[in-house]
Amino acid sequence: MKLHTHSHCVYDLTYYLVLVSKYRRKCFSYDILMYAEEICRSTCEKWDVELLEFGGEADHIHLLFSAYPNLDLSKFINNLKTVSSRMIRKNFKEHLKAFYYKPELWTRSYCLLSTGGVTIEVIEKYIQNQGKK
């Protein structure tokens, strides 16, 4: 177990996040997934969050990240969804027209789990085995 330090605390908090495309449309190509990973890494850096693993399929993405205790997770996730949606829709506008007539990408909801019940290695292997087509 690797302990982290941040603002007078020592912690080891790891989260598993799943974001699903609106209406579960299979709209993510390999290029979109690669771009989404770049955006997520950049956003995580800005929020002082460590992105441990990224993976995805045609209709959803997975993130495994470590965050400090006083991070407002809902604000971080909403910012991540907003930024990624805006940038992906901007750069893949023609591709996404076939799936959405409104400017949307993600469902309003998300799945966030703490990783205490399973080893990090199991989750990393699961994410690594997700198909990037």
Side-chain angles (χ1 to χ4, degrees):
M1 171 173 49
K2 179 185 172 193
L3 296 177
H4 305 278
T5 60
H6 189 276
S7 299
H8 311 290
C9 69
V10 178
Y11 64 94
D12 181 29
L13 297 173
T14 308
Y15 302 94
Y16 172 52
L17 174 66
V18 180
L19 301 178
V20 179
S21 63
K22 187 82 168 181
Y23 310 120
R24 197 97 186 183
R25 300 257 166 86
K26 296 186 182 304
C27 60
F28 299 145
S29 65
Y30 177 81
D31 291 337
I32 290 175
L33 289 172
M34 294 298 97
Y35 188 59
E37 182 175 6
E38 289 177 31
I39 295 166
C40 289
R41 288 197 183 282
S42 173
T43 304
C44 284
E45 282 180 26
K46 290 175 184 169
W47 281 78
D48 198 18
V49 168
E50 182 182 2
L51 182 59
L52 303 171
E53 198 68 49
F54 178 93
E57 293 189 23
D59 61 356
H60 65 281
I61 63 172
H62 305 263
L63 292 92
L64 180 66
F65 65 92
S66 176
Y68 54 93
N70 56 344
L71 175 71
D72 188 336
L73 289 169
S74 63
K75 285 184 181 177
F76 165 69
I77 293 167
N78 285 326
N79 180 255
L80 182 70
K81 288 172 67 176
T82 300
V83 169
S84 61
S85 176
R86 186 177 346 106
M87 294 179 77
I88 290 169
R89 286 184 294 107
K90 178 182 175 186
N91 289 300
F92 295 92
K93 187 176 195 172
E94 291 305 313
H95 173 77
L96 292 173
K97 272 185 184 178
F99 300 94
Y100 303 109
Y101 66 94
K102 288 184 178 181
E104 51 196 13
L105 184 64
W106 304 115
T107 62
R108 291 179 58 197
S109 59
Y110 55 84
C111 175
L112 180 66
L113 306 169
S114 63
T115 60
V118 168
T119 65
I120 298 300
E121 292 78 17
V122 170
I123 293 173
E124 284 175 346
K125 286 205 187 314
Y126 175 77
I127 292 174
Q128 290 168 357
N129 289 330
Q130 295 299 301
K132 291 183 182 176
K133 297 179 182 172

